[in-house]
Amino acid sequence: MTTAQHPAAPQLTGEISEALRRREPVVALETTLVSHGFSAGRGLRVALESEERVRAAGAVPATIGVLDGVIRVGLTSAELERFAAAGTSARKVGGRDLAAAVIQGAIGSTTVGGTLAVCRLAGIRFMGTGGIGGVHRGFAESLDVSADLPQLARTQAMVVCSGPKSILDVSATSELLETLGIPVIGWRTSTLPRFYTGAGGPPVSATVADAVEAARIADAHWQINADCGLILGRPPTMSLDVEALITEAVDRVRAEGVTGQAVTPAVLATVEELTRGLSVEVNRRLIADNAALAAEVAVAYASSG
Ligand code: PSU
Ligand code: MN
């Protein structure tokens, strides 16, 4: 297997490879939230809105996923629709799952971790998402810790998110981020956002006031530590305090015996049901806002030369 173009090599659209070659801003977006994060095909709207927000801020969107045996960087709306329509029947693909999804021709929705693994290959430095994976509640029994974190610890990329999903153990996640050496930068906040809720989280490692400052910290961090990512945590504009409902959702999913990769989508769907769809509205807005901020920082990084 020494061919120049290995079957597992990511396929970039012309626009994205040209932008990367010219060092213009590119923002990666994931596909797990498109298929697994929203019910009834509603992930498509979220995906398209995020792409529009990235473009409006002056960067090129690069939505990543596996289709027909190819790791794709940049998808058409018809292709994005395939992820939304597949729902949870698409494979949820982390870094370790990419190879099998390619060889077996599966529809593979990349998680934050899976998307970062592709960013590393393609040379994309910025990504936007909703909430990053982390340490699950009850981790001492389940050992369930998202592969998003170790992947971020070895990828030169900044992930703009609203912190770890509040369905997780946010304090334990914050501790593990420190252990892994991942800077947690607060966007105009001194505490780590908790996805649906902006306030009440553990302290961040630094706070920034604008996109230029965030880009300069990323640049300096990569000078010091070329292979490690950063988080830029942006509090959601529309906040939802639903801790009691989250506890109920986590308990219910656990009682149903759901384990492994199915846990996060099942808890998110149960929170959606318990909040009568309100959580989905908050989720949709924060994903689009984070995509826009990732683009702003990518633009600032590119223009700093
Ligand atoms: N953020 C959302 N919705 C989602 C996810 C994040 O608003 O569905 C997905 C991301 O793809 C993230 C994944 O990487 O959940 C984490 O899953 P796990 O806990 O199984 O690692
Ligand atoms: Mn897990």
Side-chain angles (χ1 to χ4, degrees):
M1 300 253 181
T2 51
T3 48
Q5 198 67 334
H6 191 279
Q11 195 181 96
L12 282 62
T13 63
E15 183 191 24
I16 294 166
S17 54
E18 186 60 13
L20 289 169
R21 202 182 55 74
R22 302 163 111 177
R23 300 188 176 281
E24 287 168 3
V26 174
V27 171
L29 302 167
E30 57 154 310
T31 36
T32 292
L33 63 82
V34 180
S35 54
H36 294 65
F38 293 85
S39 56
R42 276 178 296 175
L44 178 64
R45 180 176 163 207
V46 180
L48 294 174
E49 195 181 343
S50 300
E51 291 201 342
E52 275 165 30
R53 296 284 300 275
V54 168
R55 283 197 191 279
V60 177
T63 306
I64 293 176
V66 184
L67 272 185
D68 309 317
V70 181
I71 298 176
R72 300 283 304 280
V73 179
L75 297 162
T76 64
S77 34
E79 287 163 344
L80 281 168
E81 171 130 44
R82 288 176 63 188
F83 287 92
T88 50
S89 71
R91 271 194 212 178
K92 189 173 157 185
V93 171
R96 73 164 184 177
D97 307 305
L98 282 164
V102 166
I103 298 306
Q104 297 175 338
I107 292 198
S109 304
T110 52
T111 62
V112 171
T115 304
L116 286 171
V118 178
C119 285
R120 195 156 82 135
L121 290 171
I124 299 174
R125 300 284 176 86
F126 295 90
M127 166 173 189
T129 190
I132 193 166
V135 180
H136 282 259
R137 299 180 184 196
F139 64 93
E141 287 78 45
S142 65
L143 260 187
D144 193 354
V145 177
S146 176
D148 290 353
L149 301 187
Q151 186 67 52
L152 184 55
R154 56 177 186 269
T155 305
Q156 192 178 124
M158 172 177 263
V159 176
V160 181
C161 59
S162 295
K165 281 187 274 292
S166 39
I167 59 169
L168 303 165
D169 185 331
V170 176
S171 305
T173 303
S174 168
E175 294 294 345
L176 187 52
L177 286 165
E178 184 187 358
T179 304
L180 291 169
I182 299 171
V184 178
I185 313 297
W187 174 255
R188 300 175 180 164
T189 178
S190 58
T191 60
L192 181 59
R194 299 183 299 138
F195 191 54
Y196 297 128
T197 316
V204 294
S205 58
T207 298
V208 296
D210 58 53
V212 171
E213 195 178 14
R216 289 183 64 209
I217 291 178
D219 181 44
H221 178 65
W222 294 329
Q223 277 298 317
I224 298 160
N225 201 337
D227 282 321
C228 179
L230 308 86
I231 285 178
L232 179 61
R234 181 189 162 288
T237 310
M238 197 180 144
S239 202
L240 192 63
D241 208 341
V242 285
E243 180 53 36
L245 299 182
I246 290 169
T247 311
E248 187 181 339
V250 171
D251 288 348
R252 204 195 279 185
V253 166
R254 194 177 295 145
E256 284 165 3
V258 178
T259 56
Q261 286 183 318
V263 171
T264 298
V267 176
L268 289 175
T270 310
V271 172
E272 171 178 350
E273 189 192 315
L274 294 175
T275 60
R276 296 197 184 84
L278 200 55
S279 65
V280 171
E281 189 49 28
V282 175
N283 200 351
R284 185 183 66 74
R285 283 177 60 164
L286 66 84
I287 289 168
D289 288 344
N290 293 342
L293 180 57
E296 276 178 49
V297 181
V299 166
Y301 181 82
S303 52
S304 73

